[in-house]
Amino acid sequence: ELFKDQPIEAAAGLLPLYELLQLNPVFTSVIVESLTTEGGASSSGPTNRPPMIFSFVSLASYLFTHASSVGTPRSLSYANSTMRIIALMTSDEPMTAKFARESGNIRICRQRLPRLPESPTSRPILCSILDCLVLWLRHNLHKKLEVSSYRSCIYSVHSILWMLGRQRIRLEYHWEELWKSIFLLLEFTSSRVDNVKVLGRVDELIEETLIALELATLLAERLVPTPEALHQFVYELVRSKDIVDRQLSTLTALEVMIPSPSTQPRGVPLTIQAQALRAIKTIQGIITYYEGKINEKGTEMEIGDVMNVIATEVERDGLQTAPDREPEGPTRRLDSSSEGFVKWACRDGLALLSSA
């Protein structure tokens, strides 16, 4: 009830931001330049005003945390459009790389449980953007799933992983929160097939999520900042074995025709269905390998003992993943529809003018 009228009417300013990012490449360069010019992230500037992106990311965290709990068409429209803005930003590799290298103090919503871990006062902007994506993944798993926004969220995750891998940037981030949230989404859709199948395009959401997760396995050694973070990633994979194993039957229940990669004509790109099947097999292969190493040490083991086994194997041989696979960037095209949001933004804009 407290948040039923949120966001405030001034949030209508998200509409020109969305339009400029989508239509004007010069605007993208202006955002990047603002982070290092006077008044940007690297300087307090004469006005001591933080860059626009700081306020936007902070607003996004609040919108994503409360979107579904408020559940009004207006709040969902603002949240969905904000997710599209983040997807547009993360699809631009130079911009995303800049976000990974520039730091600042961005306030992130902490009003719902489970809360994100405490973070340093100043950290890379991209860490705060990842926090926003985690908040969306965690707090909007409802019967009427916002499939389009979840797909945009996974697209952003994929784009960020792809950029970090290409640029070889090891981001100091609490990665386990992202892995847990991705598995939470896959668990939700696989356990509620009858409910979500009527929403449409849930199969594509699952496929894209699996492909992004496979990308994480291919790039993990380049992404995470410490050996411990890599060990934690493997642990999250192993403990999510049942969720991964259910994905093929989930896609089958959603009436997805999944071809075998071996039936694809040579030289023709794999369909998204074949990519998803390949992703399942890649992830299952990793899980099977490390599960076998753990079982060799005994079936009754504490978490610390399991982590020690994983650490020993990874430190000795590296992460056991598909050695002949080249990582691939996102393939889907972004949904550019903003009709519903335009209506609400225009109403709020008129309300602001009338009260001026």
Side-chain angles (χ1 to χ4, degrees), residues 57-130:
V57 174
S58 181
L59 172 63
S61 74
Y62 285 85
L63 289 174
F64 293 168
T65 298
H66 297 292
S68 294
S69 59
V70 175
T72 65
R74 179 176 175 273
S75 66
L76 288 171
S77 180
Y78 270 100
N80 293 341
S81 295
T82 302
M83 185 62 75
R84 289 196 180 97
I85 291 173
I86 289 180
L88 285 170
M89 288 180 171
T90 55
S91 68
D92 187 283
E93 186 171 328
M95 177 183 284
T96 311
K98 189 71 171 177
F99 291 162
R101 294 186 173 102
E102 293 289 338
S103 297
N105 183 9
I106 300 177
R107 181 175 179 176
I108 296 297
C109 181
R110 300 176 57 80
Q111 294 174 332
R112 291 186 65 182
L113 298 175
R115 294 189 179 95
L116 290 165
E118 294 289 346
S119 300
T121 302
S122 181
R123 59 180 181 151
I125 298 168
L126 193 59
C127 291
S128 296
I129 292 176
L130 281 168

Side-chain angles (χ1 to χ4, degrees), residues 113-166:
L113 298 175
R115 294 189 179 95
L116 290 165
E118 294 289 346
S119 300
T121 302
S122 181
R123 59 180 181 151
I125 298 168
L126 193 59
C127 291
S128 296
I129 292 176
L130 281 168
D131 276 352
C132 291
L133 300 178
V134 169
L135 289 171
W136 177 269
L137 289 168
R138 281 183 179 178
H139 296 307
N140 296 280
L141 293 172
H142 295 278
K143 183 176 180 180
K144 192 175 180 181
L145 194 70
E146 294 292 320
V147 176
S148 176
S149 289
Y150 267 93
R151 292 184 68 206
S152 294
C153 180
I154 293 299
Y155 175 91
S156 295
V157 169
H158 195 139
S159 298
I160 290 170
L161 297 177
W162 171 244
M163 182 282 298
L164 292 173
R166 279 170 53 87

Side-chain angles (χ1 to χ4, degrees), residues 16-28:
L17 176 60
Y18 176 80
E19 297 290 346
L20 285 167
L21 280 169
Q22 188 175 36
L23 303 174
N24 193 335
V26 175
F27 185 67
T28 300

Side-chain angles (χ1 to χ4, degrees), residues 314-336:
V314 173
E315 291 301 305
R316 185 180 64 228
D317 300 322
L319 181 60
Q320 295 295 313
T321 185
D324 56 343
R325 286 286 318 286
E326 285 295 324
E328 300 174 10
T331 55
R332 67 164 287 217
R333 300 184 65 179
L334 286 172
D335 178 14
S336 60

Side-chain angles (χ1 to χ4, degrees), residues 216-218 220-221 230 233-234 237 286 290 314 317-321:
T217 68
L218 299 176
E221 290 179 293
L230 184 59
F233 177 51
V234 176
L237 289 172
I286 297 170
Y290 288 103
V314 173
D317 300 322
L319 181 60
Q320 295 295 313
T321 185

